[in-house]
Amino acid sequence: MKRKTPLAWLQVSRERTRLLIAMAGIAFADMLMFLQMGFQDALYDSNTRMHRSMRADLVLVSPQAQNIVNLSTFPRSRLYQTMNFAGVESAVPLYAETANWKVPQTRLNSAVLVLAFNPEKSAFSLSGVEQNLDRIKLPDTFLFDSGSRGEYDQTIAQLKQAQSIFTEFSDRKIEIDGLFNVGASFAADGNLITSDLNFLRIFPQRTAAEVSVGLVTLKPGSDPQQVAAVLKAGLSNDVQVLTHEEFVETEKTYWANNTPIGFIFSLGTAIGFVVGVVIVYQILYSDVSDHLSEYATLKAMGYKDIYLLGVVFQEAIILAILGFIPGYTISVGLYGLTRSATNLPLFMTLVRAISVFCLTIIMCLASGLIAMRKLRAADPADIF
Amino acid sequence: MQQPVIHIQNLNHYFGQGQLRKQVLFDVNLEIFSGEIVIMTGPSGSGKTTLLSLIGGLRSAQAGHLQVLNQELCGANKSQLVQVRRNIGYIFQAHNLLKFLTAQQNVQMSIELQENMSYQEVQEKSAAILETVGLGNRVNYYPEDLSGGQKQRVAIARALVSRPQLVLADEPTAALDSKSGRDVVELMQQLAKEQGTTILLVTHDNRILDVADRIVHMEDGQLAQNTKLATAV
């Protein structure tokens, strides 16, 4: 390509104020999209962190299971049956229930998710849980999620200094004696982990024979897909067999489809996009209008329409790139702020940065396409 | 017999549609030969500018014959018009420089229409012609920092830099005081003579008529006179 006078760049950069306004507008639109997409991903991420920390190759849940706070139960005997299949190493039960407890600091009621398993072997690959298995073997002793949302700062500080804390859980006095870290989710503000026996003590309506989740470990060298197929065929239909990834995916799909949350964030992203189109269109339109006589002069000199279209498109792309940079930087900062304020796992990912950048380019090209119609008004016959 | 640069025969032109249709050019005949400087005079609204924009390929000719640089423009398509425009230098009443480009960049825009030239050549050539029009120390100025006369000189540099065979100028001195107006016209004359360029200049300005080889007079859409300067003065 031959080097030419970079008309689009010279035009964009000559008027600093307009350029700054355009950059601010695009940065704002990008920020909206980044935040919405970030929240959406954080929602899916935070609601599956617990799932992902479970030690299992295959997962059994009730066909009624919808999400981690709404798992329903299935008979424990299915787990015993599972252990007879070839390739299965172990199948252990996990119990889950949401209930109110008294927040130690404020003595106010708040909902927490309680998960329980047989403490002979940790069901979670979380260092806080693995190190404290002996503690939850004691009656009415629980581990607390240091990433819980709410007024827990003093509680956590005390626990970190190895002091245990007492509080109430449905009329029972319980002891918190250890921390693990998973983090709050949209479904649960906080998490507690304990032994199956302690679980049954605070939830007398639950029985050990009704399991929330079955964690199936396979013998080394077994193919999870294959064993899952065999289990599906061999077990009665009062239980669902999922691979670990499918289990995580089911939770994500639930939040995406069965709640308006996924829709709201997609709508938010779309609004950010539209705001960007409107702003860039305004800027490009007034830019083209202001330079109409100059474009007409270029046409008179023998420049073709296609050249001027190219100039407008180049301007759109230059604006997209210049606006994206501050938009990206501000969003990284806002992610940090949100992370510290909410404990939501809000991080900038390469994939999201690329998709927002592509959206920005599309946004600017779309505006350029609308603004281009104004170019037809540049008539070289008018300039004499 | 020399081939004329502009050959116009029975050219008629109309504005408007239907009942509002109004004829602005009536049976215009004109021949301009290579190297001639022709001035067209006439009152406002007589059709001078319309004729100029038709010759320049900025407007589509409707009826008659209009041959510019051996290209028939009556019924010519868009790309033929663009091709003709590239061989014509235009100088406007309001300089029409691109505000966001420096003097040199404005001139470059004209040279870059010529295909086979490196960017370095383009820069050297544009700097050289600005030197010629006396703006060697103003190459990096934006139009807003130049005086009216200086802007018009940049416009002349832009029109002449790619050595067009034909230059069309519409009241190039209208916005200038008499001294700079005179300078600008003499500059055009000098450069045109050097390059053998044909110039068709529309003006109201009586002070510059003497640069012309021939003066034509337009009135009510008709070319009234076609006088050799020697006999007119």
Side-chain angles (χ1 to χ4, degrees):
Chain A
M1 187 68 193
K2 225 178 83 177
R3 201 183 148 200
K4 299 239 177 187
T5 304
L7 199 69
W9 165 247
L10 292 169
Q11 192 178 330
V12 166
S13 58
R14 178 76 178 138
E15 279 191 65
R16 291 288 150 78
T17 326
R18 177 175 286 167
L19 177 61
L20 282 178
I21 293 170
M23 281 171 68
I26 295 165
F28 178 71
D30 280 354
M31 196 190 74
L32 275 180
M33 291 195 277
F34 267 126
L35 281 187
Q36 299 293 334
M37 288 173 136
F39 278 129
Q40 190 170 12
D41 284 0
L43 160 73
Y44 298 145
D45 214 45
S46 62
N47 280 283
T48 54
R49 261 187 305 198
M50 193 61 99
H51 300 63
R52 277 180 278 124
S53 66
M54 290 175 191
R55 281 211 179 113
D57 298 309
L58 298 178
V59 174
L60 304 188
V61 284
S62 156
Q64 297 283 320
Q66 296 185 45
N67 60 57
I68 197 159
V69 291
N70 206 345
L71 280 168
S72 189
T73 57
F74 66 91
R76 183 172 52 179
S77 50
R78 299 286 166 262
L79 291 176
Y80 298 142
Q81 289 173 344
T82 304
M83 283 189 267
N84 291 326
F85 283 88
V88 175
E89 170 90 34
S90 69
V92 296
L94 185 75
Y95 302 91
E97 187 78 57
T98 335
N100 278 329
W101 76 329
K102 279 216 158 59
V103 175
Q105 242 170 275
T106 60
R107 299 283 152 194
L108 295 173
N109 280 336
S110 175
V112 283
L113 172 67
V114 185
L115 294 157
F117 58 92
N118 181 345
E120 285 309 314
K121 192 167 172 289
S122 175
F124 295 94
S125 52
L126 295 167
S127 60
V129 176
E130 283 160 356
Q131 287 160 14
N132 295 321
L133 280 182
D134 284 340
R135 300 198 189 165
I136 55 172
K137 284 176 187 164
L138 300 172
D140 294 321
T141 307
F142 291 71
L143 303 177
F144 182 62
D145 182 356
S146 60
S148 298
R149 179 171 39 223
E151 291 185 57
Y152 294 114
D153 49 337
Q154 292 171 20
T155 312
I156 292 165
Q158 276 177 289
L159 286 168
K160 275 189 179 151
Q161 290 160 8
Q163 291 176 308
S164 66
I165 286 182
F166 292 90
T167 185
E168 281 169 52
F169 205 125
S170 44
D171 299 335
R172 273 189 94 90
K173 187 181 175 190
I174 62 161
E175 185 182 357
I176 314 286
D177 193 14
L179 287 169
F180 63 94
N181 194 323
V182 169
S185 67
F186 283 80
D189 283 345
N191 299 303
L192 287 172
I193 286 179
T194 189
S195 69
D196 45 359
L197 292 177
N198 284 333
F199 181 85
L200 296 171
R201 281 191 190 107
I202 55 167
F203 296 117
Q205 76 277 18
R206 294 285 299 260
T207 67
E210 291 167 326
V211 177
S212 304
V213 183
L215 303 175
V216 181
T217 318
L218 300 181
K219 285 179 179 144
S222 317
D223 175 25
Q225 298 286 354
Q226 216 176 334
V227 181
V230 176
L231 282 179
K232 271 176 203 167
L235 294 174
S236 68
N237 61 3
D238 58 359
V239 67
Q240 262 191 97
V241 184
L242 303 169
T243 63
H244 199 169
E245 296 84 72
E246 282 169 350
F247 181 50
V248 172
E249 216 44 53
T250 310
E251 183 82 13
K252 280 190 187 174
T253 314
Y254 174 84
W255 292 106
N257 298 338
N258 294 28
T259 68
I261 299 172
F263 171 77
I264 287 168
F265 286 118
S266 307
L267 187 69
T269 310
I271 288 173
F273 183 82
V274 172
V275 165
V277 170
V278 172
I279 293 174
V280 181
Y281 167 72
Q282 277 297 329
I283 296 281
L284 284 179
Y285 181 88
S286 52
D287 200 46
V288 170
S289 305
D290 285 0
H291 293 105
L292 218 48
S293 68
E294 292 164 275
Y295 288 156
T297 309
L298 287 174
K299 276 193 188 180
M301 283 162 63
Y303 279 96
K304 292 179 181 160
D305 290 358
I306 188 96
Y307 174 83
L308 296 176
L309 296 187
V311 169
V312 175
F313 267 128
Q314 284 172 39
E315 280 189 56
I317 288 175
I318 291 170
L319 290 181
I321 294 169
L322 289 183
F324 178 79
I325 297 167
Y328 175 87
T329 318
I330 294 170
S331 302
V332 170
L334 283 176
Y335 280 179
L337 272 180
T338 315
R339 233 175 14 241
S340 55
T342 63
N343 276 323
L344 274 173
L346 211 53
F347 291 97
M348 183 62 77
T349 62
L350 184 64
V351 175
R352 196 181 307 139
I354 291 171
S355 43
V356 170
F357 183 67
C358 291
L359 280 174
T360 314
I361 296 276
I362 295 169
M363 176 175 96
C364 290
L365 289 184
S367 328
L369 212 60
I370 318 174
M372 253 165 32
R373 294 186 308 171
K374 182 73 183 166
L375 267 186
R376 285 195 215 132
D379 184 358
D382 292 341
I383 55 170
F384 266 135
Chain B
M1 174 75 192
Q2 197 188 1
Q3 185 75 24
V5 175
I6 301 174
H7 181 74
I8 304 173
Q9 236 181 340
N10 305 4
L11 183 69
N12 289 296
H13 198 76
Y14 308 85
F15 280 148
Q17 296 286 325
Q19 289 207 312
L20 293 174
R21 189 170 145 109
K22 185 171 179 294
Q23 189 162 8
V24 286
L25 291 181
F26 297 85
D27 204 26
V28 172
N29 291 287
L30 180 66
E31 278 192 338
I32 298 178
F33 292 91
S34 182
E36 263 194 306
I37 298 181
V38 177
I39 285 182
M40 187 170 13
T41 59
S44 303
S46 60
K48 306 187 299 289
T49 301
T50 307
L51 182 58
L52 207 60
S53 62
L54 284 170
I55 295 171
L58 305 177
R59 214 183 270 288
S60 299
Q62 293 165 341
H65 290 290
L66 170 60
Q67 228 178 43
V68 177
L69 303 171
N70 298 321
Q71 167 70 50
E72 177 59 54
L73 293 188
C74 198
N77 63 30
K78 222 172 169 181
S79 73
Q80 286 171 321
L81 287 179
V82 169
Q83 207 49 51
V84 166
R85 286 180 206 162
R86 291 190 178 186
N87 292 313
I88 299 177
Y90 301 88
I91 298 168
F92 312 95
Q93 180 176 348
H95 61 83
N96 281 27
L97 296 175
L98 276 61
K99 290 189 285 287
F100 53 92
L101 298 183
T102 62
Q104 183 169 15
Q105 286 164 342
N106 264 293
V107 177
Q108 279 171 208
M109 288 309 292
S110 172
I111 319 178
E112 280 172 13
L113 280 167
Q114 318 290 319
E115 301 300 325
N116 37 38
M117 210 179 287
S118 74
Y119 191 69
Q120 202 189 344
E121 274 182 273
V122 169
Q123 283 188 307
E124 283 166 6
K125 238 181 148 174
S126 52
I129 190 129
L130 283 169
E131 187 74 46
T132 313
V133 299
L135 292 175
N137 54 349
R138 296 270 194 282
V139 287
N140 290 323
Y141 280 50
Y142 284 95
E144 62 190 14
D145 301 325
L146 296 172
S147 72
Q150 288 170 330
K151 277 187 262 204
Q152 202 57 289
R153 283 173 200 220
V154 177
I156 290 170
R158 178 174 69 176
L160 294 175
V161 69
S162 41
R163 296 180 169 267
Q165 292 166 268
L166 174 63
V167 169
L168 300 177
D170 190 19
E171 313 231 11
T173 59
L176 304 178
D177 61 71
S178 67
K179 170 80 170 62
S180 4
R182 186 77 216 169
D183 287 351
V184 159
V185 174
E186 276 174 3
L187 187 64
M188 280 172 67
Q189 188 186 21
Q190 175 208 333
L191 289 173
K193 287 288 176 224
E194 283 169 11
Q195 301 181 0
T197 308
T198 311
I199 297 181
L200 176 58
L201 197 155
V202 166
T203 190
H204 276 121
D205 191 348
N206 291 328
R207 296 166 302 196
I208 61 169
L209 293 180
D210 60 294
V211 300
D213 297 321
R214 185 149 61 104
I215 295 173
V216 291
H217 187 75
M218 177 82 103
E219 192 136 9
D220 295 333
Q222 288 170 324
L223 266 190
Q225 279 177 42
N226 201 344
T227 337
K228 284 272 182 227
L229 186 70
T231 54
V233 178

